[in-house]
Amino acid sequence: MSNRNRLNQQIRFIVEIDKLKQIVRQSWLTDGSRRENSVEHSWHLAMMAMVLAEHANNPDIDMFRVIKMVLIHDIVEIDAGDTFLYDQENTESKRDREIAAADRIFALLPADQEAAFRALWEEFEARNTRTAKFAYALDRLQPMLHNVITKGKAWQTHGITISQVIDKNRPMEEGSAILWEYISGLLDEAVEQGYIAE
Amino acid sequence: MSNRNRLNQQIRFIVEIDKLKQIVRQSWLTDGSRRENSVEHSWHLAMMAMVLAEHANNPDIDMFRVIKMVLIHDIVEIDAGDTFLYDQENTESKRDREIAAADRIFALLPADQEAAFRALWEEFEARNTRTAKFAYALDRLQPMLHNVITKGKAWQTHGITISQVIDKNRPMEEGSAILWEYISGLLDEAVEQGYIAE
């Protein structure tokens, strides 16, 4: 493949992923003015990785890899859409929809980069490595933080209870016990304030 | 400082930077549906760094540092606003407004992280290192690409001519001659198609 073809493929991918800016999530901006999209969420996780790295259970993990992982982790939503964490029905079909999306979207890249991006995404999804576990912890922490700050806006819209929040988010402890402990304290306060149902 | 105080400071910064999602730029999304914000732009640059790294004039630069640089480069806009590249009047006051913003926003972080973030931002602004020159090349390429794809939407709104575009963007050549050559070809076509005034 010529260099020019390679660059054309790369640019095509870069243009394609612009669509992720249109995928709206359930989380609200902290000022409650609108829901955020998956690109905004991904950038925020990358910033959290930069700032909160020292709180990983294993602080010598490769933070560059964590950041690449969170930057790309939602790209499949361009085709598969965002699936709300507490949406049991759509969670069942999520994996199949996302694999089809990964097949199509990452294939826009030259083969070596397709393989690298696919590997990053699969590692995030499998959550077996320390890197992926910390990336996952950030992915769980950010929407809870937004929910606490907006007085439970997304939780209340969907009638989510504290036990659902704890069940779904506790696994982040495997990536960062400190951040789980921190957000647990905020969750207790949120229950007290009535931001989330018991 | 206790660990808990340190974490509280870090979270305060993470919540503060949520405001960058509200800073709207002149560039339009590639489908022309709305203008993009500075967070979306920053994420896109980080993705471009991942994909286009090999086209840096010096391909052995620290790409992790490039990515951190582009992720944080617009945070000062929370206070200073986005200044359009071709807006001469506001460009003159830009530096002062942005320094005041950096002073306030990065100071939310613990001192060691404040220094690290400030150093990244100052390096980007000074554009003296190869790392900063490549980050700058991406920061110039992305809006031109969006402009070409949207048939000159932002250029036409502001009556920008091809000589202005070349004058303002040619310095990206110092970061990536290949990417400058690539976008120059697209600019030629944009002039031919009438997307930008001669």
Side-chain angles (χ1 to χ4, degrees):
Chain A
M1 184 171 58
S2 76
N3 283 343
R4 175 47 70 114
N5 273 351
R6 185 171 166 89
L7 180 49
N8 281 337
Q9 281 187 289
Q10 291 167 330
I11 297 285
R12 215 183 133 203
F13 175 79
I14 285 163
V15 171
E16 177 68 21
I17 62 175
D18 195 54
K19 293 178 185 164
L20 192 59
K21 298 169 188 170
Q22 313 260 25
I23 304 295
V24 177
R25 295 165 47 80
Q26 293 303 325
S27 292
W28 292 78
L29 296 192
T30 53
D31 71 353
S33 59
R34 63 167 169 84
R35 283 153 65 201
E36 71 172 352
N37 65 55
S38 293
V39 160
E40 295 169 325
H41 163 71
S42 300
W43 172 84
H44 219 161
L45 298 192
M47 293 301 307
M48 289 167 79
M50 283 177 68
V51 173
L52 301 175
E54 69 203 57
H55 306 298
N57 287 350
N58 197 294
D60 61 353
I61 57 175
D62 178 352
M63 208 49 62
F64 187 17
R65 193 162 176 85
V66 170
I67 288 177
K68 288 189 281 191
M69 212 174 259
V70 297
L71 286 171
I72 69 123
H73 82 292
D74 273 345
I75 284 178
V76 292
E77 295 182 358
I78 290 171
D79 290 350
D82 178 57
T83 306
F84 190 43
L85 184 66
Y86 307 95
D87 177 348
Q88 194 51 48
E89 195 181 330
N90 283 310
T91 296
E92 279 164 26
S93 66
K94 181 175 182 256
R95 178 78 187 148
D96 288 346
R97 284 182 285 122
E98 292 193 346
I99 286 172
D103 287 347
R104 182 188 76 79
I105 301 166
F106 295 138
L108 296 171
L109 287 165
D112 59 321
Q113 293 188 319
E114 177 188 8
F117 275 63
R118 183 68 181 237
L120 270 175
W121 180 69
E122 295 285 5
E123 185 180 337
F124 177 81
E125 289 291 305
R127 222 192 305 155
N128 287 325
T129 64
R130 294 167 184 172
T131 316
K133 285 174 181 173
F134 186 63
Y136 178 80
L138 301 177
D139 190 34
R140 297 276 50 79
L141 176 62
Q142 192 255 3
M144 282 192 280
L145 203 54
H146 280 238
N147 247 309
V148 167
I149 294 167
T150 58
K151 306 188 176 180
K153 218 167 154 91
W155 290 327
Q156 284 167 22
T157 305
H158 297 278
I160 305 300
T161 63
I162 184 66
S163 64
Q164 283 178 289
V165 174
I166 291 173
D167 277 2
K168 282 288 185 187
N169 292 286
R170 181 164 222 139
M172 71 172 265
E173 211 176 5
E174 293 174 36
S176 175
I178 290 171
L179 295 177
W180 171 245
E181 192 210 331
Y182 175 84
I183 196 71
S184 295
L186 296 188
L187 291 176
D188 288 346
E189 284 174 41
V191 172
E192 260 178 57
Q193 297 289 330
Y195 300 160
I196 185 164
E198 285 197 72
Chain B
M1 186 170 59
S2 76
N3 283 341
R4 172 49 68 116
N5 273 352
R6 186 172 165 88
L7 180 50
N8 281 338
Q9 282 188 289
Q10 292 167 330
I11 297 287
R12 214 183 134 203
F13 175 80
I14 286 163
V15 172
E16 177 67 22
I17 62 174
D18 194 55
K19 294 177 183 164
L20 192 59
K21 298 170 189 172
Q22 314 261 24
I23 304 297
V24 177
R25 293 166 48 81
Q26 294 302 326
S27 292
W28 292 77
L29 296 192
T30 54
D31 71 353
S33 58
R34 63 166 170 86
R35 283 153 65 202
E36 70 172 353
N37 65 55
S38 293
V39 160
E40 294 169 328
H41 164 70
S42 300
W43 173 84
H44 219 161
L45 298 192
M47 293 301 307
M48 289 166 78
M50 283 177 68
V51 173
L52 300 174
E54 69 201 59
H55 305 300
N57 288 351
N58 195 293
D60 60 355
I61 57 174
D62 178 354
M63 207 49 64
F64 186 17
R65 193 163 176 83
V66 170
I67 289 178
K68 288 189 283 192
M69 211 174 262
V70 298
L71 286 172
I72 69 125
H73 82 292
D74 273 346
I75 283 179
V76 291
E77 294 181 359
I78 289 171
D79 289 350
D82 180 57
T83 306
F84 190 43
L85 184 66
Y86 306 96
D87 177 348
Q88 195 52 45
E89 196 180 331
N90 284 309
T91 296
E92 280 163 25
S93 67
K94 180 174 183 259
R95 178 76 186 149
D96 288 346
R97 284 181 286 121
E98 292 192 345
I99 285 173
D103 287 345
R104 183 188 74 79
I105 301 165
F106 295 139
L108 296 173
L109 287 165
D112 59 318
Q113 293 189 318
E114 176 188 7
F117 275 63
R118 182 67 180 239
L120 271 174
W121 179 69
E122 295 286 5
E123 184 180 337
F124 178 80
E125 288 291 304
R127 223 193 302 155
N128 287 324
T129 63
R130 294 167 183 171
T131 316
K133 284 174 181 173
F134 186 62
Y136 179 80
L138 301 177
D139 190 34
R140 297 275 52 80
L141 176 62
Q142 191 254 4
M144 283 192 280
L145 203 54
H146 280 238
N147 247 311
V148 167
I149 294 167
T150 58
K151 305 188 176 178
K153 218 167 156 86
W155 291 327
Q156 284 167 23
T157 306
H158 298 277
I160 306 300
T161 65
I162 183 66
S163 64
Q164 285 178 287
V165 174
I166 291 172
D167 278 0
K168 283 286 185 189
N169 292 286
R170 182 166 223 139
M172 71 171 267
E173 210 175 6
E174 292 173 38
S176 175
I178 290 171
L179 295 177
W180 171 246
E181 191 210 330
Y182 175 84
I183 196 72
S184 295
L186 296 189
L187 291 176
D188 288 346
E189 284 174 42
V191 171
E192 259 178 57
Q193 297 288 331
Y195 300 159
I196 183 163
E198 283 196 74

